[in-house]
């Protein structure tokens, strides 16, 4: 009897312990669905490592996306549904970023882009904008030690002309402190506009042509890619773009870069977008690639 009980307990521990680890590792609810997604994405990551560098750019993309871009949408609506103010919604959205950013790289993702603050957002009430800028400062100060420990390179793209000097100083320190990290990169789009990005790239190419540094005939998509703000990444164009809240558009974000990007629009509001939802997005991406006969 004691021997049988020992066998049963051993069997249960072999099943339960890995399940608990998956739930803890990605901060997702313990369920068969999430365990299945974790196993599939982990297996894809292992295949990527085995096959990377073997045959060309398509294989280099591997079975998992190398660049995931996320539009953090729904903070204000999340707050409204709970009878809270806009600032509390922004704070909840910031917590979601801080709690999950490490896990966004755990599946072998190289680059993660966050559309944190658009140029259009300056049109919001002044007190809300000030709160957001102050919140960004707190996040940079509190999260920098963690990002350095995780080996994440931080890049902030956008106009920067209206951003407070104190925040610009912290951004400069963060970029300098992490510039030598290679395997993981976090791109934060702050005061970013996709239209402006294309415009500044065109102006840069025109200036170089005017000064004789390039010939007009040589201007092509590759040169354009190098002038865009996302050229700071080894993988400048996202494979998967996620916009939370159910809005089915990319607005003014990565207009050029998303020409061949898979677009995923979950209905969940950003503060509720956790590890389970991220696994679901990756699972959707893999299914979408297989459906069209592409190697993923």
């Amino acid at each position: 009897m004691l021997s049988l009980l020992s066998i049963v307990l051993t069997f249960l521990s072999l099943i339960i312990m890995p399940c608990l680890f998956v739930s803890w590792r990605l901060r997702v609810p313990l369920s068969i669905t999430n365990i299945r997604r974790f196993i599939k994405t982990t297996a894809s990551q292992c295949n990527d490592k085995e096959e990377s560098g073997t045959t060309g750019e398509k294989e280099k993309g591997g079975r998992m996306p190398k660049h995931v871009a996320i539009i953090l949408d729904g903070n204000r609506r999340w707050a409204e549904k709970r009878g809270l103010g806009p600032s509390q919604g922004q704070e909840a959205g910031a917590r979601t970023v801080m709690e999950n950013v490490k896990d966004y790289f755990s599946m072998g993702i190289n680059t993660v882009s966050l559309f944190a603050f658009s140029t259009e957002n300056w049109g919001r009430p002044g007190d809300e904008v000030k709160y957001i800028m102050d919140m960004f400062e707190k996040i940079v100060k509190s999260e920098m030690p963690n990002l350095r420990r995780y080996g994440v390179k931080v890049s902030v793209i956008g106009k920067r002309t209206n951003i407070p000097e104190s925040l610009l100083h912290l951004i400069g320190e963060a970029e300098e402190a992490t510039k030598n990290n290679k395997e993981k990169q976090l791109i934060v789009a702050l005061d970013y506009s996709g239209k402006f990005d294309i415009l500044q790239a065109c102006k840069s190419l025109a200036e170089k042509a005017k000064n004789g540094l390039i010939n007009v005939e040589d201007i092509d998509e590759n040169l354009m890619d190098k002038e865009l703000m996302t050229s700071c990444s080894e993988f400048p164009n996202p494979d998967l773009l996620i916009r939370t809240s159910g809005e089915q558009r990319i607005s003014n974000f990565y207009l050029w870069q998303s020409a061949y990007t898979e677009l995923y629009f979950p209905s969940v509001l950003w503060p509720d977008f956790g590890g389970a939802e991220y696994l679901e997005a990756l699972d959707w991406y893999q299914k979408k690639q297989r459906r069209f006969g592409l190697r993923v």
Side-chain angles (χ1 to χ4, degrees), residues 18-182:
C19 295
L20 291 175
F21 171 78
V22 171
S23 180
W24 167 81
R25 179 66 185 83
L26 288 177
R27 302 183 182 92
V28 299
L30 184 58
S31 69
I32 298 298
T33 300
N34 285 333
I35 292 169
R36 177 180 60 82
R37 288 171 179 155
F38 179 83
I39 293 173
K40 287 175 65 178
T41 50
T42 302
S44 296
Q45 181 184 1
C46 292
N47 288 337
D48 280 354
K49 290 180 179 179
E50 291 176 1
E51 298 171 1
S52 63
T54 55
T55 54
E57 185 62 27
K58 189 174 182 180
E59 283 71 16
K60 189 176 181 181
R63 295 192 175 187
M64 295 293 290
K66 290 300 182 184
H67 183 168
V68 175
I70 309 175
I71 300 177
L72 320 180
D73 194 18
N75 292 338
R76 300 172 97 189
R77 275 168 282 176
W78 182 91
E80 289 173 5
K81 287 176 63 175
R82 291 159 176 77
L84 305 174
S87 60
Q88 291 167 295
Q90 301 297 347
E91 186 175 345
R95 281 198 304 270
T96 297
V97 172
M98 292 185 287
E99 290 172 359
N100 294 288
V101 67
K102 177 185 175 183
D103 295 327
Y104 293 158
F105 295 101
S106 64
M107 291 292 104
I109 309 300
N110 173 276
T111 302
V112 175
S113 289
L114 303 178
F115 195 18
F117 190 86
S118 72
T119 300
E120 291 82 3
N121 288 154
W122 292 113
R124 292 185 176 185
D127 57 344
E128 182 181 352
V129 171
K130 184 180 185 307
Y131 183 88
I132 293 173
M133 292 298 117
D134 292 343
M135 185 178 63
F136 282 146
E137 289 193 27
K138 293 177 182 178
I139 292 174
V140 175
K141 289 178 181 177
S142 64
E143 292 304 304
M144 264 313 301
N146 292 330
L147 292 172
R148 293 181 68 176
R149 185 166 66 252
Y150 302 152
V152 177
K153 178 181 179 180
V154 177
S155 301
V156 178
I157 61 175
K159 291 184 179 180
R160 300 196 180 195
T161 51
N162 295 316
I163 297 176
E165 286 295 328
S166 54
L167 179 54
L168 284 176
H169 177 73
L170 290 172
I171 289 172
E173 287 185 342
E175 291 179 326
E176 179 63 27
T178 62
K179 66 180 182 180
N180 293 323
N181 296 332
K182 302 296 183 184

